Amino acid sequence: MNECITPNTDINYSKDFVGLEKTPKKRAVKKNYIHFDKFYLPFIKIFIPSFAYAFLRHTINHDEPWYDIPFYLLNKVLGVTSVIIMSLAYVIGPIAKHSAKFKAYLGHRKYFGVGGFFLGTIHGLMSLLLMTPNNYKIFYNLETGRLNWQGNLSMFFGTIALFHLSFLAITSVPVIIKGMHSKQWKEIQRSRIIALWITFAHIATFGYKSWLNLDKWYGGMPPFSLIGASSIALILIFRKIIMSKNNKESNNLNTFLENEIKGY
């Protein structure tokens, strides 16, 4: 008598069995996480020298109290660190087009941009908590206790810059990117340069007087605001030079190809 053989449900059928379908394989789930070398390591490399500089300038050379370190001094460091990181995010692309060695860093741009925005947001919240005439005398009319023109303008530029950067950060979320046309997304991301120049205006508005007054260069060290503003200006100027060079090389290549085609 022929025995009735029932298939074992525990068997994982493969393509070696003729007539049997191959069991579907589970698709690997791609995890989204921040790589240590793409944000945290660059952050540490910028934050530690910035903190050391602020400590020497304010705590050692200007004799500011030690209890200012955990919040007042840290706020300054986070502000400058966020500015430098965001500025670097905007120069990686043009450099990578000019030199193939830097193409490996293209993946860092998103982390730098979003990470810089996050640090800038923390800096903004800490500044609001610290916003008193005792902490920021240059922002206030000490007779009335109200913000003067310098304080109003600086806060205005800072608010606009943070709002613009938050919009750019939202449009960097994968779900939002999928729902946008690539051309539309690129046009929005190009406006990040405007946000960076607004940030420059925010820094320059409250810091320009100390830049020109050498008495404010404690221990011969330039003000922290000058370092932040200079970082933005120098990186954007460098970016413009690299882009101009890339465009010139591209035009030369197009001219060469046209001449080759005509000669052929």
Side-chain angles (χ1 to χ4, degrees), residues 95-251:
I95 293 178
K97 290 181 180 179
H98 180 71
S99 176
K101 295 179 181 179
F102 290 90
K103 287 186 177 181
Y105 294 96
L106 288 174
H108 292 59
R109 290 181 298 178
K110 177 181 176 180
Y111 298 103
F112 279 21
V114 176
F117 160 72
F118 178 72
L119 295 175
T121 302
I122 296 176
H123 166 70
L125 293 174
M126 293 175 72
S127 296
L128 288 177
L129 294 173
L130 290 166
M131 190 59 64
T132 63
N134 289 331
N135 288 326
Y136 297 103
K137 293 180 181 179
I138 61 172
F139 284 174
Y140 288 89
N141 183 328
L142 298 181
E143 294 180 357
T144 62
R146 294 171 61 88
L147 288 172
N148 56 25
W149 72 268
Q150 202 171 354
N152 275 289
L153 270 183
S154 181
M155 293 301 101
F156 170 76
F157 286 129
T159 302
I160 297 299
L162 196 59
F163 176 79
H164 196 149
L165 290 170
S166 64
F167 181 68
L168 294 173
I170 292 172
T171 55
S172 297
V173 176
V175 177
I176 303 297
I177 295 175
K178 290 180 180 178
M180 298 178 65
H181 192 275
S182 60
K183 185 177 180 180
Q184 182 185 19
W185 183 83
K186 288 179 180 179
E187 288 177 353
I188 292 174
Q189 291 299 315
R190 287 193 185 102
S191 68
R192 58 194 177 184
I193 302 299
I194 298 175
L196 209 53
W197 279 119
I198 296 175
T199 304
F200 176 88
H202 161 68
I203 300 172
T205 303
F206 73 81
Y208 79 95
K209 288 184 179 180
S210 62
W211 302 352
L212 304 175
N213 186 0
L214 295 181
D215 291 335
K216 297 292 184 179
W217 291 42
Y218 309 129
M221 303 175 75
F224 226 31
S225 57
L226 179 58
I227 293 176
S230 298
S231 299
I232 294 176
L234 290 175
I235 288 177
L236 289 183
I237 291 172
F238 179 70
R239 180 180 186 272
K240 185 67 176 178
I241 294 172
I242 293 295
M243 290 182 67
S244 299
K245 193 170 183 179
N246 289 340
N247 292 334
K248 185 177 180 181
E249 290 177 353
S250 178
N251 292 334

Side-chain angles (χ1 to χ4, degrees), residues 1-189:
M1 181 181 293
N2 295 331
E3 295 181 358
C4 181
I5 302 175
T6 58
N8 187 350
T9 55
D10 295 331
I11 296 176
N12 184 15
Y13 297 104
S14 65
K15 61 183 180 180
D16 294 334
F17 290 87
V18 180
L20 295 177
E21 291 185 358
K22 181 180 171 182
T23 53
K25 294 182 180 180
K26 292 183 179 180
R27 297 180 64 183
V29 179
K30 185 179 180 180
K31 295 181 179 180
N32 292 320
Y33 59 92
I34 298 179
H35 295 277
F36 179 80
D37 62 333
K38 287 187 177 181
F39 176 72
Y40 294 117
L41 187 58
F43 165 73
I44 292 171
K45 289 181 178 180
I46 296 172
F47 177 83
I48 291 179
S50 299
F51 185 86
Y53 184 90
F55 177 78
L56 287 173
R57 184 179 187 276
H58 293 276
T59 307
I60 303 299
N61 293 327
H62 193 223
D63 294 328
E64 292 185 2
W66 289 75
Y67 53 76
D68 278 349
I69 295 175
F71 205 80
Y72 181 77
L73 188 67
L74 179 63
N75 183 42
K76 293 178 178 290
V77 178
L78 288 178
V80 171
T81 303
S82 68
V83 163
I84 295 175
I85 288 179
M86 285 189 295
S87 300
L88 290 174
Y90 304 147
V91 79
I92 292 175
I95 293 178
K97 290 181 180 179
H98 180 71
S99 176
K101 295 179 181 179
F102 290 90
K103 287 186 177 181
Y105 294 96
L106 288 174
H108 292 59
R109 290 181 298 178
K110 177 181 176 180
Y111 298 103
F112 279 21
V114 176
F117 160 72
F118 178 72
L119 295 175
T121 302
I122 296 176
H123 166 70
L125 293 174
M126 293 175 72
S127 296
L128 288 177
L129 294 173
L130 290 166
M131 190 59 64
T132 63
N134 289 331
N135 288 326
Y136 297 103
K137 293 180 181 179
I138 61 172
F139 284 174
Y140 288 89
N141 183 328
L142 298 181
E143 294 180 357
T144 62
R146 294 171 61 88
L147 288 172
N148 56 25
W149 72 268
Q150 202 171 354
N152 275 289
L153 270 183
S154 181
M155 293 301 101
F156 170 76
F157 286 129
T159 302
I160 297 299
L162 196 59
F163 176 79
H164 196 149
L165 290 170
S166 64
F167 181 68
L168 294 173
I170 292 172
T171 55
S172 297
V173 176
V175 177
I176 303 297
I177 295 175
K178 290 180 180 178
M180 298 178 65
H181 192 275
S182 60
K183 185 177 180 180
Q184 182 185 19
W185 183 83
K186 288 179 180 179
E187 288 177 353
I188 292 174
Q189 291 299 315

